[in-house]
């Protein structure tokens, strides 16, 4: 997982496609983009995003900051992700930092059933990803207590990586 920094532009209606291209070209010299998706520009560092502010002001484009978490591939995405994240043009999967919690499930003693806990949680998840030895789950931030209760019912605990 990597923290990324978004700048969500509010492009004016009726502008030609070349207007967007001009902005991207102006950014290339001062604020290198990591990724983009429609009106969302994604940067690797806050300093890079900050460098884009004068360009937005120059072109008189209203904008807002948006902090993101880039999920490492491979990611299994559920349909509910679109309300709490996005898949960019370059097929990177992001969740909005303030809208998601990311966790793992741990056994909490004899009789623990982590697979059953994960199955019960599945209907509340936005995505999951992992390595050979560990799976990470992504849920809505306000579902953190629910995830704890489900895990406890199966004699497991939840370890939050991001909350």
């Amino acid at each position: 997982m990597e923290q990324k920094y978004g700048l969500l532009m509010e492009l004016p209606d009726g502008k030609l496609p070349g207007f967007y291209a001009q902005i991207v070209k102006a950014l290339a010299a001062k604020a290198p983009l990591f990724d983009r998706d429609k009106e969302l520009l994604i940067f690797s560092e806050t300093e890079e995003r900050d460098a884009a502010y004068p360009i937005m002001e120059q072109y008189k484009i209203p904008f807002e900051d948006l902090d993101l978490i880039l999920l490492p591939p491979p990611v299994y995405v559920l349909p509910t992700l679109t309300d709490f994240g996005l898949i960019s043009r370059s097929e990177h999967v992001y969740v909005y930092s303030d809208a998601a919690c990311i966790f793992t499930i741990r056994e909490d003693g004899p009789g623990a059933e982590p697979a059953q806990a994960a199955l019960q949680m599945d209907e509340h998840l936005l995505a999951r990803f992992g390595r050979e030895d560990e799976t990470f789950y992504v849920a809505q931030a306000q579902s953190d207590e629910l995830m704890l209760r489900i895990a406890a019912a199966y004699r497991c605990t939840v370890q939050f990586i991001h909350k």
Side-chain angles (χ1 to χ4, degrees), residues 21-37:
Q22 284 179 324
I23 295 165
V24 172
K25 185 177 177 182
L27 286 167
K30 297 185 185 210
L33 291 174
F34 173 79
D35 199 358
R36 62 182 173 158
D37 188 67

Side-chain angles (χ1 to χ4, degrees), residues 59-127:
Y59 285 92
K60 296 177 178 40
I61 299 172
F63 65 91
E64 65 180 86
D65 291 342
L66 186 63
D67 291 338
L68 305 163
I69 298 173
L70 171 63
L71 304 179
V75 180
Y76 175 74
V77 174
L78 291 132
T80 51
L81 176 82
T82 57
D83 293 334
F84 302 92
L86 65 120
I87 301 172
S88 71
R89 285 185 189 177
S90 56
E91 298 187 12
H92 290 116
V93 179
Y94 300 91
V95 291
Y96 306 127
S97 186
D98 63 348
C101 63
I102 302 171
F103 59 92
T104 60
I105 302 170
R106 303 272 188 237
E107 293 183 15
D108 192 26
E113 300 177 87
Q116 290 295 358
L119 191 61
Q120 181 76 35
M121 291 174 180
D122 201 50
E123 67 185 80
H124 305 286
L125 297 178
L126 306 173

